[in-house]
Amino acid sequence: MSSNVNMASTSRGSTSSSNGLLTVTIAGSSSSHSDDPTTNDSDNDEDELLVDPNDPFDITHTKNAPPESLKRWRQAAFVLNASRRFRYTLDLKKEEEKEQKKSMIRSHAQVIRAALLFRLAGERELVTSSAAVASPSPVGEYAVGLEQLVSMTKNQNISALQQYGGVKGLSNLLKSIPDKGINGDDADLSKRKNAFGTNTYPRKKGRSFWRFLWESWQDLTLIILIIAAVVSLVLGIKTEGLEEGWYDGGSIAFAVFLVIIVTAVSDYRQSLQFQNLNAEKQNIKLEVIRGGRTIQISIFDIVVGDLVPLKIGDQVPADGVVITGHSLAIDESSMTGESKIIHKDQKTPFLMSGCKVADGIGAMLVTGVGINTEWGLLMASISEDTGEETPLQVRLNGVATFIGIVGLTVAVCVLAVLLGRYFSGHSKDLDGKVQFVAGETSISKAVDGVIKIFTIAVTIVVVAVPEGLPLAVTLTLAYSMRKMMADKALVRRLSACETMGSATTICSDKTGTLTLNQMTVVEAFVGRKKLNPPDDLTKLHPEVSSLINEGIAQNTTGNIFVPKDGGEAEVSGSPTEKAILSWAVKPDSAVHIHWKGAAEIVLGKCTQYLDSDGHLKSIEEEKVFFKNAIEDMAAQSLRCVAIAYRSYDLDKIPSNEEELDQWCLPEHELVLLAIVGIKDPCRPGVKDAVKVCTEAGVKVRMVTGDNLQTAKAIALECGILMSTEDAVEPNIIEGKTFRELSEKEREQVAKKITVMGRSSPTDKLLIVQALRTGGEVVAVTGDGTNDAPALHEADIGLSMGIQGTEVAKESSDIIILDDNFASVVKVVRWGRSVYANIQKFIQFQLTVNVAALVINVVAAISSGDVPLNAVQLLWVNLIMDTLGALALATEPPTDNLMHRSPVGRREPLITNVMWRNLIVQALYQVIVLLVLNFGGESILRNNQDSIAHTIQVKNTLIFNAFVFCQIFNEFNARKPEEMNVFRGVTKNRLFMGIVGMTFVLQIIIIEFLGKFTTTVKLDWKLWLASLCIGLVSWPLAIVGKLIPVPKTPLSRYFRRLRKSKSRAPPPCNS
């Protein structure tokens, strides 16, 4: 028995309560990790108290965030290169234009069609006509032409369809058989593609590498540096000649171009990853019938003439006409813009590509594909914008803005001090001569001196403003998304990958997610008789056996029953998932209405039962027996399904199709045939996965349509319930009970619920809303069309790749490709990894920022010169921004991540542990390098070297030691909280490669590129000294980790202090 026989309800009606396109209110409260509700409330209250309403970067949830808040943080961000910084955020202007374009296309589809077809006229001659219906004109091997099919479908011309002989006649013209489809061999498919086109549409090409190169140099500071380099180059050549004069300007220009090229290459690689992931998202798999066989193909492989089965939740893959349909209802809002459900039958048979099946089942004949459909035109006319910001991205823009403002202030101070010292005659060159003497120094020399000072100040801004910080999120997300594909998770929304790291609870389905979805009947009762073995029907009365076989065989969605006497075929199968029924016409003019569904519900509708000998008996006296049998099966984790029927007079059944559609099926006075227990075993590894979640502070809740006893048994087996003592209300609750509570009561009870049985999709939505209102970060799994609202409402919606409908997938944020709960846990690991990697990168980058700024500021103010010049700072910026992000943002997740509590929505990005590590390393670097700066000459001087050479050696040693400090500190940044920072380092080849490459390039810069970087060669002693200075950062990191830090974040102390000051009463005037 297949899984689709298990119905959770027995009433006929639509299962499509929503198309998933509803507007939801996002709860803004913070997450909490404690299981104690009182702790949760107090934490939430405190967090809400500390919320700064004036902070534009305080966006805890970007899913369905209002455009005003998105616009606000963009305007507040301090940005040097907007085209690069906001590349992967949602383009609000384009989004507005896209909506306008969609509206225009919907209302002016013909105009757009004409324009696009004119553009494609070189490839194919296509003429559309809305004139009177012409007779089918043969095209190639087919008796109807492309333009006639397009015209018929576009105009929904029923008279044209009738002229072609109806659906059956059209099938013949297209050489397709209504119940078997097309032949489907390679030659046949090739002919159809040539005659009618492919199911693809012209897509706008992704950005080329040259576009990324162009965007990379749009950075304001880099443009200033290039201008400064050009001026310096001209002045240098003029004063010193071509041979020596080009070095200063040329080296800056070269360093800037190197930064631009490396940045562009890194960005281009990211974009390619996103393109591949987007292609995977669009590649929908669906079933078609070819040669009588049902096969699964890509949506792009659909051809005209294909026979496509449709069921609730599917996307209509191409334009076509309905062949057969049972209460088939289509949601055409994606094309018409109106959320109106349209019922399809032989009178209104036309289907538009891109629409969703809202209800019922059916089959369609494909008549138009690709650019020849309205959907194809729509998709070809709008660009698929993948931009979307994530909460972490927004917060990092806030961090980058703060650091940038500090850096800009420092740069202005340095500029003012250096210019002041220069023009007051306090600046000296390497030989000790005053650089500027009023009335003596030439204008060109003065301008050159000012340009060098200005270049240093601008370069400090380049280093200080961490443009790469928000982009590091995109880098780590792109890397994580690619790796998650291997872990059977396809990310549809970037922010979901990140939010999953903050998830505090997962509301999971049972069937197919926690269990294998491989069902077998292991127990069966017919009347009072228990069958042993359960599939042995030979001991039953022939009439009983016949009725059971008939009920099972006919009561299956999508089947058609053809009587043996050759009479007209009767349609079988219900349009809904709640109940499956069938009419089996009998010679005695009686009809059997078959019901199959949840055992206790069907049992409640029965008044009689058929015993194993074929005798009808009253059920009243035996109801206790049957209820006990159901409970016993449920206690063994079995899904209980009852099979029942009732006889009905043929003449009482509506004769025409419309009345039949509206007919309310009799669902009382049923006769019970059998009760079966179906075993669906737990997936291997689920118990371990649930245990990992529990240890990680993520509560797993089971929300299932099965009865409470079955749900309880599976929950115990999976480890969701720890013991039978826990299996009491409200830990386990029925959906109906939860539904009847008030909103406030639901919020309180939801926190305690572990298992919800007999839940409807509405109950799932209600528990998600209640949990989110209570401050939880909720992930929810779903596979049905009815799950769409809950998937849409949850912080992270997880749809199933195998069992999930297209509507569920489109409403979700992540698709679990193997339907396995263990894969959900892997997504949690990756989500936490994203956050952890960003924190590693922040710690590394801020250490470099603080050290570089302090060294240059102190040196500039005290001596009027800076030890790190423009070219050197650009190299440090490259190590820090692009290469550092590549090395640290691509660290794979570790098991240690799942031993922590979830990251709260308002947790500070820079934790106390990070502040400790950062201060220890930056302080060490500043002290050592300032000692070298002020005492280096006396340490390094010997009688043979000039003062100028000694100063150059000192500055080279400072630069070399500073870079080595960053290389060694990159290892420390890998494990901010662990003593052993080398664990697993060899597994990350990219990290090792980048560190190795940085090391080699540094040697090349010092030994061979001295003219460019204003450095000199170092002897082996000074190389060893540089290495030792860098190496000290490792033991120092271990010592630093022994320093205890308070658990309460520093930012919370400052906020609390600010809040208390703002609330303090004004002083009384006496």
Short mmCIF file of all heavy atoms in Angstrom, two decimals, residues 37-81:
data_model
loop_
_atom_site.label_atom_id
_atom_site.label_comp_id
_atom_site.label_asym_id
_atom_site.label_seq_id
_atom_site.Cartn_x
_atom_site.Cartn_y
_atom_site.Cartn_z
N PRO A 37 10.46 29.20 30.88
CA PRO A 37 9.69 30.28 30.30
C PRO A 37 9.87 31.62 31.01
O PRO A 37 9.85 32.65 30.39
CB PRO A 37 8.24 29.81 30.39
CG PRO A 37 8.21 28.59 31.23
CD PRO A 37 9.60 28.07 31.31
N THR A 38 10.09 31.56 32.33
CA THR A 38 10.26 32.82 33.05
C THR A 38 11.56 33.49 32.65
O THR A 38 11.62 34.70 32.49
CB THR A 38 10.26 32.55 34.58
OG1 THR A 38 11.25 31.58 34.86
CG2 THR A 38 8.92 32.07 35.06
N THR A 39 12.60 32.68 32.48
CA THR A 39 13.89 33.21 32.03
C THR A 39 13.74 33.81 30.65
O THR A 39 14.25 34.88 30.35
CB THR A 39 14.96 32.08 31.99
OG1 THR A 39 14.92 31.38 33.21
CG2 THR A 39 16.34 32.64 31.75
N ASN A 40 13.03 33.09 29.78
CA ASN A 40 12.79 33.57 28.42
C ASN A 40 12.17 34.96 28.44
O ASN A 40 12.60 35.87 27.76
CB ASN A 40 11.84 32.63 27.66
CG ASN A 40 12.57 31.40 27.14
OD1 ASN A 40 13.76 31.29 27.27
ND2 ASN A 40 11.81 30.51 26.53
N ASP A 41 11.11 35.09 29.25
CA ASP A 41 10.37 36.35 29.28
C ASP A 41 11.26 37.48 29.77
O ASP A 41 11.25 38.57 29.21
CB ASP A 41 9.13 36.23 30.18
CG ASP A 41 8.09 35.30 29.56
OD1 ASP A 41 8.17 35.07 28.35
OD2 ASP A 41 7.21 34.82 30.30
N SER A 42 12.04 37.21 30.85
CA SER A 42 12.88 38.27 31.39
C SER A 42 13.98 38.65 30.42
O SER A 42 14.28 39.83 30.23
CB SER A 42 13.49 37.83 32.73
OG SER A 42 14.32 36.70 32.54
N ASP A 43 14.56 37.65 29.74
CA ASP A 43 15.59 37.93 28.73
C ASP A 43 15.02 38.74 27.59
O ASP A 43 15.62 39.69 27.12
CB ASP A 43 16.18 36.62 28.18
CG ASP A 43 17.18 36.01 29.15
OD1 ASP A 43 17.41 36.64 30.19
OD2 ASP A 43 17.70 34.91 28.86
N ASN A 44 13.82 38.33 27.15
CA ASN A 44 13.19 39.03 26.04
C ASN A 44 12.89 40.48 26.41
O ASN A 44 13.13 41.39 25.62
CB ASN A 44 11.88 38.34 25.61
CG ASN A 44 12.15 37.00 24.96
OD1 ASN A 44 13.24 36.76 24.45
ND2 ASN A 44 11.16 36.13 24.98
N ASP A 45 12.37 40.67 27.64
CA ASP A 45 12.04 42.02 28.09
C ASP A 45 13.29 42.88 28.12
O ASP A 45 13.28 44.04 27.71
CB ASP A 45 11.39 41.98 29.49
CG ASP A 45 9.99 41.37 29.42
OD1 ASP A 45 9.45 41.28 28.30
OD2 ASP A 45 9.46 40.98 30.48
N GLU A 46 14.39 42.27 28.63
CA GLU A 46 15.64 43.03 28.73
C GLU A 46 16.17 43.38 27.35
O GLU A 46 16.61 44.49 27.09
CB GLU A 46 16.68 42.20 29.50
CG GLU A 46 17.94 43.02 29.78
CD GLU A 46 18.91 42.26 30.66
OE1 GLU A 46 18.59 42.03 31.83
OE2 GLU A 46 19.98 41.90 30.15
N ASP A 47 16.10 42.39 26.44
CA ASP A 47 16.56 42.64 25.08
C ASP A 47 15.73 43.71 24.41
O ASP A 47 16.24 44.58 23.71
CB ASP A 47 16.50 41.35 24.25
CG ASP A 47 17.79 40.56 24.38
OD1 ASP A 47 18.70 41.07 25.06
OD2 ASP A 47 17.87 39.45 23.82
N GLU A 48 14.40 43.66 24.61
CA GLU A 48 13.53 44.66 24.01
C GLU A 48 13.83 46.04 24.60
O GLU A 48 13.77 47.04 23.90
CB GLU A 48 12.05 44.30 24.25
CG GLU A 48 11.56 43.12 23.43
CD GLU A 48 11.72 43.33 21.94
OE1 GLU A 48 11.54 44.47 21.46
OE2 GLU A 48 12.04 42.36 21.25
N LEU A 49 14.16 46.04 25.90
CA LEU A 49 14.49 47.29 26.57
C LEU A 49 15.73 47.92 25.96
O LEU A 49 15.87 49.13 25.87
CB LEU A 49 14.72 47.00 28.07
CG LEU A 49 14.89 48.22 28.99
CD1 LEU A 49 13.56 48.90 29.17
CD2 LEU A 49 15.49 47.79 30.31
N LEU A 50 16.65 47.05 25.49
CA LEU A 50 17.92 47.53 24.96
C LEU A 50 17.89 47.80 23.46
O LEU A 50 18.89 48.15 22.87
CB LEU A 50 19.03 46.50 25.26
CG LEU A 50 19.25 46.21 26.74
CD1 LEU A 50 20.29 45.13 26.91
CD2 LEU A 50 19.68 47.46 27.48
N VAL A 51 16.74 47.64 22.86
CA VAL A 51 16.63 47.92 21.43
C VAL A 51 16.70 49.42 21.21
O VAL A 51 16.05 50.19 21.90
CB VAL A 51 15.28 47.39 20.87
CG1 VAL A 51 15.08 47.84 19.43
CG2 VAL A 51 15.25 45.87 20.94
N ASP A 52 17.54 49.81 20.25
CA ASP A 52 17.64 51.23 19.91
C ASP A 52 16.77 51.50 18.68
O ASP A 52 17.13 51.10 17.57
CB ASP A 52 19.09 51.60 19.62
CG ASP A 52 19.26 53.08 19.34
OD1 ASP A 52 18.25 53.80 19.37
OD2 ASP A 52 20.41 53.52 19.09
N PRO A 53 15.62 52.15 18.85
CA PRO A 53 14.72 52.37 17.71
C PRO A 53 15.34 53.28 16.65
O PRO A 53 14.90 53.30 15.51
CB PRO A 53 13.49 53.02 18.34
CG PRO A 53 13.96 53.59 19.63
CD PRO A 53 15.10 52.76 20.10
N ASN A 54 16.38 54.04 17.04
CA ASN A 54 17.02 54.94 16.09
C ASN A 54 18.17 54.30 15.33
O ASN A 54 18.81 54.95 14.50
CB ASN A 54 17.54 56.19 16.83
CG ASN A 54 16.41 56.95 17.50
OD1 ASN A 54 15.36 57.12 16.91
ND2 ASN A 54 16.63 57.37 18.75
N ASP A 55 18.46 53.04 15.63
CA ASP A 55 19.55 52.36 14.95
C ASP A 55 19.05 51.77 13.62
O ASP A 55 18.28 50.81 13.62
CB ASP A 55 20.11 51.23 15.84
CG ASP A 55 21.30 50.54 15.21
OD1 ASP A 55 21.72 50.95 14.10
OD2 ASP A 55 21.83 49.58 15.81
N PRO A 56 19.47 52.34 12.49
CA PRO A 56 18.96 51.84 11.20
C PRO A 56 19.45 50.44 10.87
O PRO A 56 18.89 49.77 10.00
CB PRO A 56 19.49 52.86 10.20
CG PRO A 56 20.69 53.45 10.85
CD PRO A 56 20.42 53.44 12.33
N PHE A 57 20.51 50.00 11.55
CA PHE A 57 21.09 48.68 11.26
C PHE A 57 20.51 47.58 12.15
O PHE A 57 20.94 46.44 12.08
CB PHE A 57 22.62 48.72 11.41
CG PHE A 57 23.28 49.72 10.51
CD1 PHE A 57 23.72 50.93 11.01
CD2 PHE A 57 23.44 49.45 9.17
CE1 PHE A 57 24.32 51.86 10.17
CE2 PHE A 57 24.04 50.37 8.32
CZ PHE A 57 24.48 51.58 8.82
N ASP A 58 19.55 47.95 13.01
CA ASP A 58 18.94 46.98 13.91
C ASP A 58 17.74 46.32 13.21
O ASP A 58 16.59 46.62 13.50
CB ASP A 58 18.52 47.66 15.21
CG ASP A 58 18.05 46.65 16.26
OD1 ASP A 58 18.33 45.44 16.06
OD2 ASP A 58 17.42 47.05 17.24
N ILE A 59 18.04 45.43 12.25
CA ILE A 59 16.99 44.68 11.54
C ILE A 59 17.22 43.21 11.84
O ILE A 59 18.17 42.61 11.34
CB ILE A 59 17.04 44.93 10.01
CG1 ILE A 59 16.85 46.42 9.71
CG2 ILE A 59 15.97 44.13 9.30
CD1 ILE A 59 16.99 46.79 8.25
N THR A 60 16.38 42.64 12.69
CA THR A 60 16.62 41.26 13.11
C THR A 60 16.15 40.25 12.08
O THR A 60 16.52 39.09 12.12
CB THR A 60 15.89 40.95 14.44
OG1 THR A 60 14.52 41.25 14.27
CG2 THR A 60 16.47 41.77 15.57
N HIS A 61 15.29 40.70 11.17
CA HIS A 61 14.71 39.75 10.21
C HIS A 61 14.46 40.46 8.90
O HIS A 61 13.66 41.38 8.83
CB HIS A 61 13.39 39.21 10.78
CG HIS A 61 13.07 37.85 10.26
ND1 HIS A 61 12.83 37.60 8.93
CD2 HIS A 61 12.95 36.64 10.89
CE1 HIS A 61 12.58 36.32 8.77
NE2 HIS A 61 12.64 35.72 9.94
N THR A 62 15.18 40.06 7.82
CA THR A 62 14.99 40.73 6.53
C THR A 62 13.97 40.02 5.66
O THR A 62 13.65 40.49 4.59
CB THR A 62 16.33 40.80 5.76
OG1 THR A 62 16.84 39.48 5.60
CG2 THR A 62 17.34 41.65 6.48
N LYS A 63 13.47 38.86 6.12
CA LYS A 63 12.43 38.15 5.36
C LYS A 63 11.14 38.96 5.44
O LYS A 63 10.60 39.19 6.52
CB LYS A 63 12.23 36.74 5.95
CG LYS A 63 11.26 35.87 5.16
CD LYS A 63 11.20 34.48 5.78
CE LYS A 63 10.18 33.61 5.09
NZ LYS A 63 10.10 32.26 5.67
N ASN A 64 10.67 39.44 4.31
CA ASN A 64 9.46 40.27 4.22
C ASN A 64 9.59 41.60 4.97
O ASN A 64 8.60 42.14 5.44
CB ASN A 64 8.24 39.52 4.76
CG ASN A 64 8.09 38.15 4.16
OD1 ASN A 64 8.15 38.00 2.94
ND2 ASN A 64 7.93 37.14 4.99
N ALA A 65 10.83 42.11 5.10
CA ALA A 65 11.02 43.39 5.79
C ALA A 65 10.46 44.53 4.94
O ALA A 65 10.53 44.48 3.72
CB ALA A 65 12.51 43.63 6.05
N PRO A 66 9.88 45.57 5.57
CA PRO A 66 9.32 46.68 4.79
C PRO A 66 10.41 47.44 4.05
O PRO A 66 11.52 47.61 4.57
CB PRO A 66 8.66 47.56 5.86
CG PRO A 66 9.26 47.16 7.15
CD PRO A 66 9.69 45.73 7.01
N PRO A 67 10.14 47.91 2.81
CA PRO A 67 11.14 48.63 2.01
C PRO A 67 11.72 49.85 2.73
O PRO A 67 12.86 50.20 2.52
CB PRO A 67 10.36 49.05 0.75
CG PRO A 67 9.21 48.11 0.68
CD PRO A 67 8.86 47.77 2.08
N GLU A 68 10.89 50.51 3.60
CA GLU A 68 11.36 51.71 4.29
C GLU A 68 12.58 51.41 5.16
O GLU A 68 13.55 52.16 5.16
CB GLU A 68 10.24 52.30 5.19
CG GLU A 68 9.05 52.86 4.44
CD GLU A 68 8.15 51.77 3.86
OE1 GLU A 68 8.10 50.66 4.43
OE2 GLU A 68 7.53 52.02 2.80
N SER A 69 12.52 50.27 5.90
CA SER A 69 13.64 49.94 6.79
C SER A 69 14.87 49.54 5.98
O SER A 69 16.01 49.81 6.36
CB SER A 69 13.25 48.81 7.75
OG SER A 69 12.91 47.64 7.03
N LEU A 70 14.66 48.90 4.82
CA LEU A 70 15.78 48.52 3.96
C LEU A 70 16.43 49.76 3.35
O LEU A 70 17.65 49.84 3.22
CB LEU A 70 15.30 47.58 2.84
CG LEU A 70 14.64 46.27 3.28
CD1 LEU A 70 14.26 45.43 2.07
CD2 LEU A 70 15.57 45.46 4.18
N LYS A 71 15.59 50.73 3.00
CA LYS A 71 16.12 51.97 2.41
C LYS A 71 16.88 52.76 3.47
O LYS A 71 17.92 53.37 3.19
CB LYS A 71 14.92 52.78 1.90
CG LYS A 71 15.28 53.81 0.81
CD LYS A 71 14.03 54.52 0.30
CE LYS A 71 13.20 53.63 -0.59
NZ LYS A 71 12.02 54.33 -1.16
N ARG A 72 16.40 52.69 4.72
CA ARG A 72 16.96 53.48 5.82
C ARG A 72 18.40 53.07 6.12
O ARG A 72 19.28 53.93 6.27
CB ARG A 72 16.07 53.28 7.06
CG ARG A 72 16.40 54.21 8.21
CD ARG A 72 15.29 54.16 9.25
NE ARG A 72 15.76 54.65 10.53
CZ ARG A 72 15.74 53.96 11.65
NH1 ARG A 72 15.27 52.74 11.65
NH2 ARG A 72 16.18 54.48 12.76
N TRP A 73 18.66 51.75 6.17
CA TRP A 73 20.03 51.33 6.52
C TRP A 73 20.99 51.60 5.37
O TRP A 73 22.17 51.89 5.60
CB TRP A 73 20.07 49.87 6.97
CG TRP A 73 20.06 48.81 5.92
CD1 TRP A 73 19.00 48.05 5.56
CD2 TRP A 73 21.17 48.36 5.11
NE1 TRP A 73 19.36 47.16 4.57
CE2 TRP A 73 20.68 47.33 4.28
CE3 TRP A 73 22.50 48.72 5.00
CZ2 TRP A 73 21.47 46.67 3.36
CZ3 TRP A 73 23.31 48.06 4.08
CH2 TRP A 73 22.80 47.06 3.27
N ARG A 74 20.51 51.55 4.13
CA ARG A 74 21.38 51.87 2.99
C ARG A 74 21.84 53.33 3.04
O ARG A 74 23.00 53.64 2.77
CB ARG A 74 20.63 51.63 1.67
CG ARG A 74 20.51 50.17 1.27
CD ARG A 74 19.46 50.05 0.17
NE ARG A 74 19.36 48.72 -0.38
CZ ARG A 74 18.81 47.69 0.22
NH1 ARG A 74 18.33 47.84 1.43
NH2 ARG A 74 18.74 46.50 -0.35
N GLN A 75 20.90 54.20 3.40
CA GLN A 75 21.22 55.63 3.47
C GLN A 75 22.17 55.92 4.63
O GLN A 75 22.97 56.86 4.55
CB GLN A 75 19.93 56.44 3.61
CG GLN A 75 19.07 56.43 2.35
CD GLN A 75 17.66 56.95 2.59
OE1 GLN A 75 17.23 57.11 3.74
NE2 GLN A 75 16.93 57.21 1.52
N ALA A 76 22.09 55.11 5.68
CA ALA A 76 22.93 55.35 6.86
C ALA A 76 24.34 54.80 6.71
O ALA A 76 25.25 55.19 7.44
CB ALA A 76 22.26 54.73 8.09
N ALA A 77 24.53 53.88 5.77
CA ALA A 77 25.83 53.21 5.63
C ALA A 77 26.88 54.16 5.06
O ALA A 77 26.62 54.94 4.15
CB ALA A 77 25.69 51.99 4.73
N PHE A 78 28.10 54.10 5.64
CA PHE A 78 29.24 54.86 5.14
C PHE A 78 29.93 53.99 4.10
O PHE A 78 30.54 52.99 4.42
CB PHE A 78 30.19 55.18 6.30
CG PHE A 78 31.42 55.94 5.89
CD1 PHE A 78 31.33 57.27 5.49
CD2 PHE A 78 32.67 55.34 5.93
CE1 PHE A 78 32.47 57.96 5.12
CE2 PHE A 78 33.81 56.03 5.56
CZ PHE A 78 33.71 57.35 5.16
N VAL A 79 29.81 54.37 2.83
CA VAL A 79 30.24 53.50 1.73
C VAL A 79 31.17 54.24 0.79
O VAL A 79 30.95 55.41 0.46
CB VAL A 79 29.00 53.02 0.92
CG1 VAL A 79 29.41 52.08 -0.19
CG2 VAL A 79 28.00 52.34 1.82
N LEU A 80 32.25 53.55 0.39
CA LEU A 80 33.18 54.13 -0.58
C LEU A 80 32.89 53.63 -1.99
O LEU A 80 33.16 54.31 -2.97
CB LEU A 80 34.62 53.76 -0.19
CG LEU A 80 35.09 54.30 1.17
CD1 LEU A 80 36.46 53.74 1.51
CD2 LEU A 80 35.12 55.82 1.17
N ASN A 81 32.37 52.42 -2.09
CA ASN A 81 32.09 51.83 -3.40
C ASN A 81 30.70 51.20 -3.36
O ASN A 81 30.55 50.01 -3.07
CB ASN A 81 33.15 50.79 -3.76
CG ASN A 81 32.99 50.24 -5.15
OD1 ASN A 81 31.98 50.48 -5.82
ND2 ASN A 81 33.96 49.48 -5.62
#
